[in-house]
Amino acid sequence: MNEKLNKIIEKFKFQGTLIHIEENNQGNINKSYILTYNDNNVERKYLLQKINSNVFTEPYLVMKNIELVTNHIKKNLKKNNDTIHKTLNIIKTLKGENLYTYTNREGEKEYYRAFDYIDNCISYDSFKDSENSLELAYQAGKSFGLFQRLLIDFPSNLLGETIKDFHNTKKRFDDLLLSIENKVTNRAYEFPKEIIDLISKVKECSVIVESLGKTIPLRVTHNDTKLNNILMDKESGVGIAVIDLDTVMPGSSLFDLGDGIRSACSNSFEDEIDRQKIYLNLDLTESYLKGYLEEMGPYLTQEEINYLGLSIKILTYELALRFLTDYLNGDTYFKIKYEHHNRDRFMNQYILLNDIETKLEEINDFIMKTIDCETN
Ligand code: GN1
Ligand code: MG
């Protein structure tokens, strides 16, 4: 493997002498390595990634989107004299390209790309054990809010769709029905009650996708606002950069807000199985919303504001559908660490979903209060 990896590494414009390679297993989709170089006694770090081309079938389109979006963010950060926040910086290949294509022994193409590694930062899978979790949740909301704000003047029609129907909740539901029908595994029998409940919720949970581009504006959105896609300063906790830009596409601000709170404000990791521990933490949710609204509040339309609370439920519902569908299909999409990993992830999101439903009224009240304060 190392011989192959070295061959790939040689194709990029990295500076200095390679001294260390470390695999990073945090993401559920791509494969990542952190490379450390010694450049005239200065340490330089890079992130090398193999794009999962089963998931991202057009890797060149992914990189084109990332190039356009990061250039725009850099320009706006400069315009705002912002020296704190950062974005990904692509390291090109020796040929000046955004990707290196490697053909493996089986004749299949593998796609590699590289970025500067953003150092002195930490990313969290959960805030549940953090002392300053409220401040961190505020920073998380602010980070994704700022990300949307920095792209508000970017024409979304310049971006290609890297995964079609990614947040089409109705389509995700239809995919679940297909997986039940197809019976690749016999696993659907494990969840009769849960499946009936998911069916009963589909109408309400399809409202964002049905209104998108009509009453809900299309914007440039991140679409994968999982907590660990924010890099936070190790010492100050300030959100420095939003990473994992593969799914940046035209979408709804509500996808990012809902998915962000689902991920950052749950009291558990995504695969926690102890039911007692799985619930939405309202204090974290309020802090997150406060940070997000400070950045994006003035730009949201009334229709978007009305759906903010519901978006948390919808995005949790959608991920529950996706984990269950993958489990029924025999685990072909998400990387799993053990046999029933997707089952546990599904149950986790399902329990979270039911808890969120009981808290929506309170969340909506908080949103209205916060928006009123901002506009008065
Ligand atoms: C995947 O790659 P990662 O771990 O940031 C997935 C998200 C899911 C998430 C759930 C391209 O994100 O949509 O919400 O897992 N990304 C893709 O853990 O499918
Ligand atoms: Mg990802």
Side-chain angles (χ1 to χ4, degrees):
M1 178 63 196
N2 262 351
E3 199 188 318
K4 170 179 162 187
L5 201 57
N6 282 330
K7 245 192 209 157
I8 292 159
I9 290 172
E10 279 169 13
K11 298 293 189 294
F12 287 87
K13 286 184 188 163
F14 297 132
Q15 290 181 43
T17 318
L18 179 63
I19 49 176
H20 189 65
I21 304 179
E22 187 189 321
E23 224 180 297
N24 174 316
N25 278 321
Q26 226 176 9
N28 280 341
I29 306 290
N30 297 320
K31 196 165 183 152
S32 306
Y33 304 89
I34 300 165
L35 312 179
T36 309
Y37 279 73
N38 178 339
D39 183 20
N40 290 321
N41 292 328
V42 176
E43 189 186 86
R44 285 186 195 282
K45 285 186 178 176
Y46 301 101
L47 187 77
L48 177 74
Q49 282 185 317
K50 178 180 172 209
I51 298 187
N52 180 332
S53 51
N54 291 326
V55 171
F56 296 102
T57 51
E58 293 184 75
Y60 282 90
L61 178 70
V62 169
M63 291 312 290
K64 188 75 219 157
N65 277 0
I66 294 181
E67 189 170 28
L68 288 170
V69 160
T70 54
N71 282 342
H72 192 83
I73 292 177
K74 284 179 204 165
K75 200 181 74 195
N76 273 346
L77 288 176
K78 206 165 165 191
K79 203 164 89 191
N80 301 347
N81 291 321
D82 182 339
T83 52
I84 294 176
H85 298 104
K86 294 183 179 163
T87 188
L88 291 177
N89 186 44
I90 301 172
I91 304 293
K92 303 258 179 181
T93 66
L94 298 179
K95 289 186 178 160
E97 291 181 318
N98 285 332
L99 273 178
Y100 171 65
T101 309
Y102 175 88
T103 308
N104 66 22
R105 282 201 203 130
E106 289 75 38
E108 300 151 349
K109 289 192 161 52
E110 297 181 5
Y111 300 92
Y112 292 84
R113 48 117 183 263
F115 301 107
D116 276 322
Y117 182 78
I118 302 180
D119 216 355
N120 299 317
C121 284
I122 174 166
S123 69
Y124 293 83
D125 287 315
S126 164
F127 288 144
K128 68 184 175 66
D129 297 324
S130 310
E131 240 174 60
N132 52 344
S133 58
L134 289 183
E135 170 61 19
L136 290 171
Y138 165 80
Q139 286 295 332
K142 219 172 157 60
S143 297
F144 283 123
L146 176 66
F147 183 82
Q148 283 183 1
R149 186 160 71 74
L150 290 168
L151 290 167
I152 212 145
D153 55 342
F154 184 90
S156 67
N157 60 358
L158 296 185
L159 298 179
E161 235 185 326
T162 55
I163 301 182
K164 230 183 133 342
D165 288 320
F166 192 61
H167 283 306
N168 186 336
T169 316
K170 177 64 176 50
K171 171 84 173 23
R172 296 292 189 181
F173 174 78
D174 293 341
D175 289 346
L176 173 67
L177 294 188
L178 267 182
S179 75
I180 296 171
E181 236 173 80
N182 288 345
K183 290 202 183 77
V184 176
T185 65
N186 257 337
R187 291 168 162 176
Y189 297 106
E190 295 171 37
F191 308 103
K193 219 174 74 241
E194 289 80 3
I195 291 174
I196 291 173
D197 193 30
L198 292 171
I199 294 173
S200 75
K201 293 181 168 62
V202 64
K203 194 158 180 279
E204 184 190 19
C205 290
S206 302
V207 295
I208 301 178
V209 54
E210 277 164 6
S211 313
L212 191 58
K214 298 172 198 153
T215 48
I216 294 179
L218 257 187
R219 300 180 184 274
V220 177
T221 49
H222 183 284
N223 297 307
D224 186 3
T225 49
K226 200 169 154 174
L227 178 56
N228 66 17
N229 284 331
I230 308 170
L231 298 182
M232 304 179 119
D233 187 279
K234 257 185 200 158
E235 263 126 56
S236 68
V238 169
I240 300 295
V242 163
I243 56 169
D244 195 354
L245 306 182
D246 300 335
T247 49
V248 176
M249 289 181 271
S252 165
S253 58
L254 298 164
F255 297 152
D256 286 3
L257 189 272
D259 200 34
I261 291 185
R262 171 202 72 71
S263 163
C265 307
S266 162
N267 181 61
S268 73
F269 291 121
E270 262 175 21
D271 50 9
E272 172 64 60
I273 52 171
D274 181 349
R275 287 170 178 250
Q276 304 301 319
K277 294 188 182 152
I278 307 169
Y279 58 88
L280 190 80
N281 180 317
L282 272 181
D283 294 330
L284 291 182
T285 304
E286 292 186 358
S287 294
Y288 189 109
L289 278 164
K290 190 165 173 290
Y292 175 78
L293 290 173
E294 263 178 32
E295 297 292 339
M296 274 302 286
Y299 300 95
L300 297 177
T301 65
Q302 190 56 47
E303 194 79 355
E304 286 176 301
I305 292 168
N306 295 345
Y307 283 129
L308 284 174
L310 185 60
S311 76
I312 309 169
K313 172 174 169 181
I314 292 182
L315 272 289
T316 308
Y317 173 80
E318 187 182 287
L319 190 59
L321 293 178
R322 293 175 64 196
F323 282 145
L324 179 58
T325 303
D326 200 32
Y327 183 62
L328 302 193
N329 283 340
D331 310 306
T332 55
Y333 187 89
F334 295 103
K335 282 196 253 167
I336 51 168
K337 296 197 173 119
Y338 57 92
E339 196 188 349
H340 294 123
H341 204 170
N342 277 324
R343 176 197 64 190
D344 294 345
R345 287 166 168 158
F346 159 64
M347 277 313 286
N348 179 298
Q349 294 300 301
Y350 180 73
I351 294 164
L352 185 64
L353 170 67
N354 282 293
D355 181 63
I356 290 170
E357 282 186 326
T358 66
K359 293 176 174 160
L360 271 190
E361 226 179 275
E362 202 170 330
I363 294 173
N364 283 327
D365 284 348
F366 177 81
I367 292 169
M368 290 313 154
K369 259 198 327 233
T370 313
I371 296 273
D372 281 350
C373 284
E374 268 181 18
T375 45
N376 288 331

